[in-house]
């Protein structure tokens, strides 16, 4: 069904999703009375008026802990959730970030909102209804703003729950520092001006038409914002950064930032959360930068969820993929239980038996650990192998074997940027993509794609962690994008998408671009698969696909070695690529496995 879904599940911070947040906030009857203070004013350090809306339980003569959200999506979104928080004796405050909603000033997406949020924290603590405890929560962009506040005024925040948190330039709006999607223009249209533009944002037919036309007509990526009707200085800045990925370094958190953070943290992400890379990067950096006495209070939950599912867990992830009942619970209540525990108002939530709780699909159970590194205790190696006439066809595939085989000749495929046939094979409705199509086998049928299968597993295995793949490639162009996917094929023939990744050749060794030398065999490391956990039964086979990245929804690489995002069809070069797999060049897939 959906090749594009599979790509986006892997590498995009799909969402920063506002509509998923709304679905998670269904009004409920019989709430306790609540006072609403609409668009109160917080003065930023430079005097800019910032709008903050407060919901607090009645009566007015009591003091409450306050849960703060800092959002670009306008504070009215918090109203249904705030009523649930009031029922538990919390005030909630939602700050419209600078330039959004009722706040004045200019909205610069992914700029440092931390100082403004800290002014809001001080304002809350000075109010007669505040007991002095300010906590933070929120998902996606709102998860990132918590880390910004924690960097700016770490001693003022009592606890926080960053969920599916974006890491600027790492998973959105630029992926891995140097790739982008046309979705970024739609998101900028969604938050253009001070109000929301939801009808524009959710018009899937409009975006489908624009994506397909720009893809088939080879409209340069830097012209895409104008093509969709919203010229944007911010979009142009992001396009420039495609060829300058180190420009995002100034947005990164450093060890000293984390060393100052003493508040308890609960990080939440999902197996198929497009912002999982950011959420886990914050977690790992905090573990490395803060003292053990602090990091022991940082908990991590990784559920079987999509980006939106981190706010509203669902038992059915996609057609044919349904988890056990323990995968689903009221996330708002879980957040409140965490806050109660941290404030000494209630017991520790049952799910947090150890510092990390992760769900294992197939086994349909939660398991626990104190460090990500201790979960998998074995690396299972699957080496690529194929006779000269194998791997080019789904039904005469190559093999994934226990050891490299000497003497094998390389297999060839090409990346033709002018080939637009994938537009006829894919569903590019990005609104539908959020919920996943994990049973799709589309990648195995894409043009110029090599396919490899393992033998059926005798005993099965439990995958838990991030897969890695090393391919030895040779090409005749300065650049190209290589796309890989990994599937489980169950004994009954049902496929399950486990993950995928893209490597842009000029960034094969890191964020410093280095064009390819034609004819040189080099190792390409695919290390950005999402963290996943599945119990795969005996008889399961693995499927690996390797081919060009040619997605109608993505910024195209024309393989010329020119300035990314500014290339045109006139710059296009066909990359002829050789995949080496033998004892000298052992291309290999690594699976982190849990063994009893």
């Amino acid at each position: 069904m959906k090749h594009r879904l599979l790509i986006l599940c892997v590498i995009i911070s799909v969402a920063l999703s506002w509509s998923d947040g709304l679905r998670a906030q269904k009004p409920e009857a019989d709430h306790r009375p609540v006072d609403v203070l609409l668009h109160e004013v917080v003065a930023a350090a430079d005097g800019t008026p910032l709008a903050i809306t407060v919901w607090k339980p009645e009566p007015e003569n009591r003091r409450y802990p306050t849960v703060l959200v800092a959002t670009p999506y306008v504070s009215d979104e918090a109203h249904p959730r705030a009523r649930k928080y009031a029922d538990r004796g919390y005030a909630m405050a939602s700050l419209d970030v600078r330039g959004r909603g009722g706040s004045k000033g200019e909205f610069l997406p992914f700029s440092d909102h931390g100082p403004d949020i800290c002014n809001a924290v001080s304002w809350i603590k000075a109010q007669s209804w505040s007991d002095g405890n300010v906590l933070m929560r929120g998902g996606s962009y709102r998860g990132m703003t918590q880390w910004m506040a924690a960097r700016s005024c770490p001693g003022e925040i009592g606890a926080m729950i960053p969920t599916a948190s974006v890491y600027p330039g790492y998973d959105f709006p630029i992926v891995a520092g140097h790739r982008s999607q046309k979705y970024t223009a739609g998101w900028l249209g969604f938050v253009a001006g001070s109000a929301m533009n939801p009808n524009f944002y959710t018009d899937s037919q409009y975006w489908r038409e624009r994506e397909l036309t720009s893809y088939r007509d080879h409209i340069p990526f830097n012209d895409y914002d104008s093509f969709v009707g919203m010229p944007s200085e911010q979009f142009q800045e992001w396009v420039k950064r495609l060829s300058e990925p180190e420009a995002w370094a100034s947005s990164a958190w450093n060890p000293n930032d984390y060393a100052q953070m003493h508040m308890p943290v609960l990080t939440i992400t999902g197996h198929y959360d497009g912002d999982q890379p950011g959420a886990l990067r914050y977690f790992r950096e905090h573990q490395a930068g803060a003292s053990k006495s602090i990091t022991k209070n940082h908990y991590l939950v990784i559920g079987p969820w999509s980006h939106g599912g981190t706010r509203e867990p669902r038992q059915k992830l996609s057609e044919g993929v349904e988890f056990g009942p323990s995968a689903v619970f009221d996330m708002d209540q879980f957040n409140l239980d965490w806050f109660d525990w941290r404030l000494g108002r209630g017991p520790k939530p049952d799910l947090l038996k150890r510092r990390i709780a992760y769900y294992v699909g197939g086994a349909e159970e939660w398991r626990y650990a104190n460090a990500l590194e201790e979960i998998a205790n074995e690396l299972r190696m699957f080496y690529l192998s194929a006779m000269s006439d194998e791997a080019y066809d789904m039904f005469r595939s190559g093999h994934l074997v226990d050891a490299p085989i000497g003497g094998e000749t390389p297999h060839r495929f090409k990346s033709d940027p002018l080939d637009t046939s994938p537009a006829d094979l894919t569903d590019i409705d990005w609104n539908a993509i959020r919920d996943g199509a994990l049973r799709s086998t589309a990648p195995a049928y894409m043009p110029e794609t090599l396919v490899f299968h393992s033998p059926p597993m005798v005993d099965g295995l439990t995958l838990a962690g991030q897969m890695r793949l090393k391919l030895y490639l040779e090409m005749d162009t300065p650049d190209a994008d290589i796309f890989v996917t990994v599937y489980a094929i169950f004994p009954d023939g049902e496929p399950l998408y486990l993950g995928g990744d893209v490597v842009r050749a000029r960034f094969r060794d890191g964020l410093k671009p280095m064009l390819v030398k034609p004819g040189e065999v080099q190792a390409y490391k695919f290390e950005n698969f999402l963290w996943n956990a599945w119990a795969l039964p005996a008889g399961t086979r693995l499927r690996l696909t390797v081919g060009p990245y040619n997605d109608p929804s993505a910024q195209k690489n024309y393989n010329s070695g020119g300035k990314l995002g500014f290339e045109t069809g006139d710059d296009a070069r066909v990359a002829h690529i050789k995949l080496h797999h033998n004892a000298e060049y052992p291309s290999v897939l690594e699976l982190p496995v849990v063994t009893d």
Side-chain angles (χ1 to χ4, degrees), residues 47 72-73 90 109 159 186 205 210 259 289 365 380 418 458 471 477 498 540:
Y73 300 125
Y90 289 86
Q205 181 178 350
R210 293 304 186 274
E365 64 184 19
R380 192 75 57 87
L418 298 183
V458 175
L471 299 179
T477 54
L498 296 176
T540 299

Side-chain angles (χ1 to χ4, degrees), residues 94-144:
S94 182
L95 177 73
D96 291 333
V97 298
R98 184 178 292 241
R100 298 291 298 137
S103 292
K104 305 302 181 182
E106 181 183 6
F107 176 52
L108 296 175
F110 301 96
S111 60
D112 187 1
H113 303 295
D116 286 350
I117 299 170
C118 291
N119 287 327
V121 171
S122 296
W123 180 87
I124 290 169
K125 291 188 174 186
Q127 303 307 303
S128 60
W129 42 263
S130 169
D131 72 355
N133 288 298
V134 178
L135 319 166
M136 292 194 72
R137 68 158 306 280
S140 200
Y141 199 107
R142 315 165 195 84
M144 175 191 70

Side-chain angles (χ1 to χ4, degrees), residues 167-187:
Y167 201 115
Y170 186 66
D171 54 9
F172 195 86
I174 307 297
V175 181
H178 51 75
R179 292 194 308 277
S180 190
Q181 299 281 328
K182 294 171 184 175
Y183 172 77
T184 57
W187 184 81

Side-chain angles (χ1 to χ4, degrees), residues 4 18-19 182-183 185-187 189-190 196-212 224 228 230 427-434:
R4 181 175 181 268
W18 174 80
S19 54
K182 294 171 184 175
Y183 172 77
W187 184 81
F190 182 45
M196 305 305 298
N197 302 294
N199 293 319
F200 176 61
Y201 176 71
T202 59
D203 186 346
S204 59
Q205 181 178 350
Y206 178 83
W207 295 108
R208 181 164 57 248
E209 291 167 350
R210 293 304 186 274
E211 287 186 351
L212 281 173
Y224 188 69
V228 300
M230 45 151 294
D427 176 353
I428 63 157
D429 179 358
W430 53 260
N431 281 307
I433 284 166
R434 290 181 186 151

